[in-house]
Amino acid sequence: MTARRPFPCLTLRLRAALLAVLLAVLLAVLSALGGATAAQALDRRVIPLSNLRDGPPEATLNGETDSVALRVFIPPTGPLSSVLLTLSYENGIDILPEKGTLAVFINGAAVAELPLAAFKGPVNAAISLPASLMRPGENQIVFETNAQHRAICTVRGTFDLWTRINLAASSLTLEAEGATPEPDLAMMRQLLVASNRARDPLAIFKAGADIDADHLGWGAMVAQSYGLLLGDQSPRVVARPIPLGKGAPSSLDALPGLSSKNFLIGARDQIAPLLGEARAAAITGPFLAVYPVSGPNAPPGAFLGVVSGRNPAEVDQAVSRLSDVNRPLPAQNAVIVAEAASAPPPPRETQEEGRYRLSELGFPTVQHSGYRYTGRLTLTLPTGYAPVSDRAVLFHVNGAFEGNLGPGAILNLRVNGRAASAMEIDKRSSGVIENGEMQLPMTLFRPGPNIIEIEAELPPASGADCVFAVRRPSFTLQDNSSLEIPGFARLVTLPNLATTAQTAYPYGGMAGRDPAPPFDLVVVGKEAPWFGAAWTMAARLAQRSGDLLRLVPTVGWDGAPDDNALIVGPVAALPQAAFASAPLAADRLAGLLEAGALIAQASARGEPMAAADRRALVDRLRGAWSGASPTTRAGAVARPTAATAPMDSAAQNRWQRMAGDGKTASSAVSGWVPDWARRGMAMAARYVNRWTVMDTPVDVVALTENTETLPEAALLQYHAPGADALTWTVLTAADTRSLDRALRSLGEGGLWDKLRGGGGLWSSASPSMTALEASHPYQIILNPFDIGNMILILARNLSQRLELLFGLLLGTAVVLTVSMRMLLRGGHAERNHKGQDGS
């Protein structure tokens, strides 16, 4: 007799239920896998709007109408399927919400009009954009406000109208169908300037633990091309030396410190352990390649460019081809560079003597309705612009003030933030301006870009009702108005960091046309951040020059440079010879920077130094300075020179030949001039300098008055030791952390455009920079064999030194008086003689 299992139906039902559960789990897993695959196929990029410009992460629009334009670079992607613009903004409480709007334009097309009702706090807006509006490459986003006051419809009321866009909290999100395209050389430059990775540094790798002079020069050329591609945005370049041997990375994906954009530069035998045999075998000449990199060390979408050759000379050719931003690269991932002449760069746009319409300066006709109009235009003057103080730039105005105007209607002009000229409108009901002349003093202008602000104030005839105003006053400025620039001298007074920051002189182009002579790029110190700082400075100067700089690289201090020099290194490693003519003695500068670094490090650890400790530190500094030998300018303590292997003579000659093109071109024009004439002009320049510039010593003790913001980094510019008019610019700090903070403040913090004088000292505790007056100033005459230029220089110097002009006039009067007396006496004697003969 066999036993029977109880409840057979229940067992079948349980099996069916378990089977259904397993089937559901399987379907869910398959669905998740399919969803993950779809998500992986979707290319999604988020671009914070703060990536689109330097300075504070916000944009403020003021007055009744104002606008701000941002450039966004979209890298190569698949077909865009979704574009979302997210904005975070707020506005002042005085704006009337019913008549206030924030308009958004994408590549000239209006896409949104948001109400200005965010006076209680920031509000967020999400704007879905047609995918066809955006395209790979450069795109433009424009925000424009139109605002009206709630109650005060006057000129004064317009200053209460403001709208602030939080760029850090605003973003552009792009979604594309399909995977990210594989990078090739043709798209590499677009990837370098892509806005979604604008804040990422450019990483330059070198196979080997030490960076030599060749790699310093190659990295500087690549960094300069990177800066030219970025346009106005600040570049940041970092050095990544990779030790070889045991523990070295086995592939490109395993490189430590990968950024989203990277370059590996070096001869084939040097980089072969990192590339692998197959890729290294393809290097049969000057070689360029780009490879995608992935792995735990690489950001998504990262790439690595390779610049190589079988020997240093071929690497020179590959670097030169890559750095020529005026020639496109082929649509291949690897190529052997063919010998070809480089394309000449487009001339840098500058305005010299002459008359320029506003339309030629990119300023269109303005028709403004309201109580205050503000606009701006840029005038770029050439390097060497030296104004004659009794001359003025003439602004010929064609425009009109219309409507029911009250007293006080006026047109104001400012140049570089300083009041320049004003024109009052006499006719109260209608004021037509035809070729009205406004004089802008030439001394307000400077070499490089100049900002001219135009402000029209249109007060109403009586108190107007803000809500029911039928017709507000209006202002029209025609684009056929013009600026007339008179003749100016070609003369540069150095040291002047403002001139270097705006035009790159003396390291960059002169007068917007001629190439500058080559300069020495010197790095003292073995740590990689110092090389990255030198490359960042070279990229910044190339941006302002508009072309590649000509340089001769040097690692370590192997003697004083023979040309203009850009010197980078820690203050403890720089030799005393580097500060022989600096505005600050070596020991005092080192003490300042080291004390500032101690204070900054304590604050970074969250343990700020007590006020009494800071004061004691400053007292010790001053005590050491007071005990220093007065005859030793560079300090009594000898500073060690960084030990380095001397640069190979063949390599030195190779770099000098590469940079010699600039020296040959600059001297070709004056090659016919005899030596005695050059010596005479040099002597004249020295006398001009002695007459017109004053030596201003630096008060070092005054720099320690505020113990909370002692400097931790310095950028100094001064006359090189010797009789020649050579310039040294030194970037130094106590340690690499202070250097990194300094470079960030110069770039992203917007301090580069505020450089001036003979030096700048700054601390991470303060957002501003302490500027030093120019010490031991000297002058360089451009176009010294131009007689007209020499006359203008003489007129400029006499107008600056009244005592010289008075002495010249007095001497002229004395000579004329003596001459007249001699002539009269001779005539009187002759008449007497004739009278006696007649008698």
Side-chain angles (χ1 to χ4, degrees):
M1 184 177 177
T2 60
R4 298 177 58 187
R5 283 185 281 181
F7 309 108
C9 294
L10 183 60
T11 302
L12 292 175
R13 290 174 183 174
L14 182 60
R15 290 178 178 176
L18 290 175
L19 184 61
V21 170
L22 290 175
L23 183 62
V25 170
L26 181 61
L27 290 176
V29 170
L30 292 176
S31 176
L33 290 175
T37 304
Q40 289 175 359
L42 188 66
D43 182 12
R44 188 172 186 270
R45 303 166 189 261
V46 179
I47 303 175
L49 298 192
S50 58
N51 280 14
L52 306 184
R53 72 175 193 176
D54 298 331
E58 60 185 24
T60 303
L61 298 92
N62 296 290
E64 296 171 297
T65 60
D66 199 2
S67 63
V68 60
L70 302 175
R71 293 190 307 169
V72 53
F73 290 90
I74 298 178
T77 64
L80 292 176
S81 59
S82 172
V83 180
L84 180 66
L85 177 63
T86 304
L87 289 181
S88 176
Y89 70 98
E90 59 181 327
N91 55 264
I93 194 173
D94 298 291
I95 295 178
L96 185 65
E98 292 82 2
K99 293 193 175 183
T101 58
L102 171 63
V104 184
F105 300 86
I106 303 291
N107 293 327
V111 296
E113 194 172 86
L114 306 175
L116 293 182
F119 52 85
K120 294 183 179 180
V123 299
N124 297 320
I127 307 170
S128 295
L129 305 176
S132 59
L133 277 181
M134 309 297 289
R135 55 185 181 269
E138 181 178 352
N139 298 264
Q140 189 177 64
I141 304 176
V142 177
F143 301 105
E144 182 178 285
T145 54
N146 287 277
Q148 184 172 317
H149 205 286
R150 290 176 181 267
I152 306 176
C153 285
T154 61
V155 174
R156 182 177 64 85
T158 62
F159 290 91
D160 300 326
L161 310 178
W162 58 267
T163 302
R164 185 178 300 115
I165 302 174
N166 187 346
L167 300 178
S170 305
S171 62
L172 183 68
T173 303
L174 308 171
E175 292 185 352
E177 298 176 353
T180 305
E182 289 289 323
D184 60 27
L185 292 171
M187 71 173 66
M188 184 174 61
R189 288 170 178 163
Q190 295 184 28
L191 295 173
L192 283 170
V193 299
S195 296
N196 61 323
R197 57 185 73 185
R199 297 300 184 191
D200 297 343
L202 174 66
I204 298 181
F205 287 82
K206 189 262 179 182
D210 296 327
I211 298 178
D212 56 22
D214 273 337
H215 284 86
L216 173 62
W218 293 332
M221 293 182 66
V222 172
Q224 289 179 67
S225 65
Y226 176 58
L228 292 173
L229 291 172
L230 284 179
D232 295 331
Q233 283 195 276
S234 60
R236 191 161 69 95
V237 188
V238 296
R240 294 281 189 264
I242 304 299
L244 300 178
K246 187 177 180 181
S250 57
S251 66
L252 298 180
D253 295 335
L255 290 174
L258 281 169
S259 176
S260 61
K261 40 200 174 186
N262 312 271
F263 277 100
L264 175 63
I265 309 176
R268 179 182 61 186
D269 294 341
Q270 291 177 324
I271 66 175
L274 302 177
L275 283 181
E277 293 183 3
R279 288 174 173 171
I283 303 176
T284 58
F287 180 78
L288 292 178
V290 59
Y291 305 113
V293 288
S294 59
N297 298 328
F303 69 92
L304 183 137
V306 176
V307 187
S308 184
R310 292 169 295 183
N311 51 57
E314 291 186 349
V315 181
D316 293 341
Q317 297 178 34
V319 169
S320 299
R321 179 64 180 88
L322 175 68
S323 304
D324 189 356
V325 297
N326 300 303
R327 297 172 60 192
L329 293 168
Q332 301 172 336
N333 68 336
V335 67
I336 298 297
V337 175
E339 288 284 351
S342 60
R348 189 176 58 174
E349 184 178 355
T350 57
Q351 286 79 46
E352 301 189 7
E353 295 92 340
R355 190 163 179 168
Y356 300 87
R357 291 192 173 190
L358 298 190
S359 58
E360 298 173 349
L361 302 176
F363 190 90
T365 296
V366 170
Q367 293 181 334
H368 170 76
S369 176
Y371 305 103
R372 181 171 65 98
Y373 164 77
T374 56
R376 60 172 52 191
L377 62 96
T378 301
L379 186 71
T380 303
L381 296 174
T383 302
Y385 166 82
V388 180
S389 59
D390 61 347
R391 292 191 175 189
V393 175
L394 300 181
F395 184 38
H396 302 279
V397 187
N398 293 319
F401 285 75
E402 299 175 326
N404 191 18
L405 292 174
I410 194 170
L411 179 64
N412 294 313
L413 292 183
R414 292 184 177 86
V415 176
N416 295 324
R418 299 171 62 185
S421 184
M423 175 185 291
E424 188 174 1
I425 306 305
D426 296 327
K427 296 180 180 180
R428 304 308 179 191
S429 59
S430 177
V432 178
I433 308 173
E434 293 183 355
N435 200 29
E437 186 176 287
M438 302 179 71
Q439 296 188 359
L440 312 180
M442 291 188 73
T443 53
L444 297 181
F445 293 85
R446 64 193 180 193
N450 296 265
I451 304 299
I452 301 176
E453 297 174 284
I454 305 169
E455 182 180 80
E457 296 183 1
L458 298 88
S462 60
D465 190 327
C466 290
V467 179
F468 300 103
V470 177
R471 183 185 179 194
R472 296 191 294 174
S474 63
F475 169 69
T476 301
L477 179 63
Q478 300 289 344
D479 63 359
N480 60 1
S481 302
S482 61
L483 283 164
E484 184 177 354
I485 305 174
F488 52 84
R490 265 69 174 182
L491 181 74
V492 180
T493 301
L494 295 174
N496 191 340
L497 285 176
T499 298
T500 301
Q502 297 296 325
T503 67
Y505 186 85
Y507 308 104
M510 300 188 328
R513 299 184 301 265
D514 304 327
F519 68 96
D520 291 314
L521 180 62
V522 182
V523 175
V524 180
K526 292 188 174 182
E527 295 178 277
W530 302 108
F531 293 88
W535 292 337
T536 301
M537 289 290 293
R540 212 23 155 150
L541 292 173
Q543 281 182 325
R544 294 310 169 98
S545 174
D547 194 9
L548 295 176
L549 310 178
R550 311 198 183 255
L551 57 90
V552 177
T554 304
V555 175
W557 190 269
D558 220 8
D562 296 327
D563 297 312
N564 296 318
L566 175 60
I567 305 169
V568 180
V571 68
L574 287 169
Q576 292 189 26
F579 298 99
S581 56
L584 288 175
D587 59 339
R588 299 194 176 190
L589 178 63
L592 272 176
L593 300 187
E594 290 167 3
L598 288 175
I599 296 174
Q601 290 170 11
S603 300
R605 292 194 303 266
E607 302 173 354
M609 190 179 295
D613 295 337
R614 295 197 304 269
R615 175 54 57 186
L617 183 59
V618 168
D619 290 341
R620 287 197 298 272
L621 277 177
R622 292 179 177 177
W625 295 341
S626 62
S629 172
T631 60
T632 305
R633 176 173 176 80
V637 179
R639 302 200 168 272
T641 302
T644 180
M647 186 175 180
D648 180 70
S649 60
Q652 182 80 15
N653 293 334
R654 194 179 81 253
W655 280 101
Q656 288 176 346
R657 286 195 304 271
M658 291 173 62
D661 296 338
K663 185 177 294 186
T664 303
S666 62
S667 61
V669 177
S670 59
W672 57 271
V673 179
D675 291 339
W676 62 266
R678 290 195 183 93
R679 289 195 297 269
M681 294 308 303
M683 183 180 299
R686 287 195 293 271
Y687 277 111
V688 167
N689 179 73
R690 186 179 304 172
W691 289 344
T692 56
V693 296
M694 299 295 181
D695 189 4
T696 305
V698 176
D699 186 0
V700 187
V701 176
L703 300 175
T704 61
E705 293 298 331
N706 188 353
T707 59
E708 295 183 359
T709 58
L710 288 182
E712 53 181 315
L715 182 65
L716 305 176
Q717 188 176 89
Y718 45 89
H719 187 286
D724 295 333
L726 298 177
T727 305
W728 288 359
T729 303
V730 176
L731 174 63
T732 186
D735 53 44
T736 56
R737 287 173 293 185
S738 298
L739 177 71
D740 181 67
R741 290 190 291 263
L743 290 176
R744 288 180 180 273
S745 64
L746 276 180
E748 299 170 10
L751 290 183
W752 181 268
D753 292 326
K754 299 178 182 179
L755 291 173
R756 64 182 180 87
L761 306 173
W762 64 96
S763 168
S764 57
S766 174
S768 61
M769 175 182 288
T770 301
L772 303 179
E773 294 297 330
S775 182
H776 304 295
Y778 55 99
Q779 293 183 338
I780 299 175
I781 299 177
L782 304 181
N783 303 337
F785 305 102
D786 183 352
I787 302 301
N789 184 39
M790 297 304 298
I791 293 175
L792 287 171
I793 291 175
L794 180 61
R796 165 185 165 84
N797 292 336
L798 290 177
S799 64
Q800 288 181 340
R801 297 294 298 273
L802 295 180
E803 68 276 14
L804 291 177
L805 180 60
F806 177 76
L808 183 61
L809 293 176
L810 181 61
T812 304
V814 169
V815 171
L816 289 176
T817 302
V818 172
S819 301
M820 289 299 296
R821 287 183 63 86
M822 293 178 65
L823 289 173
L824 291 174
R825 181 180 299 176
H828 182 67
E830 184 177 355
R831 286 195 301 271
N832 288 339
H833 180 70
K834 288 182 178 180
Q836 292 175 0
D837 291 343
S839 63

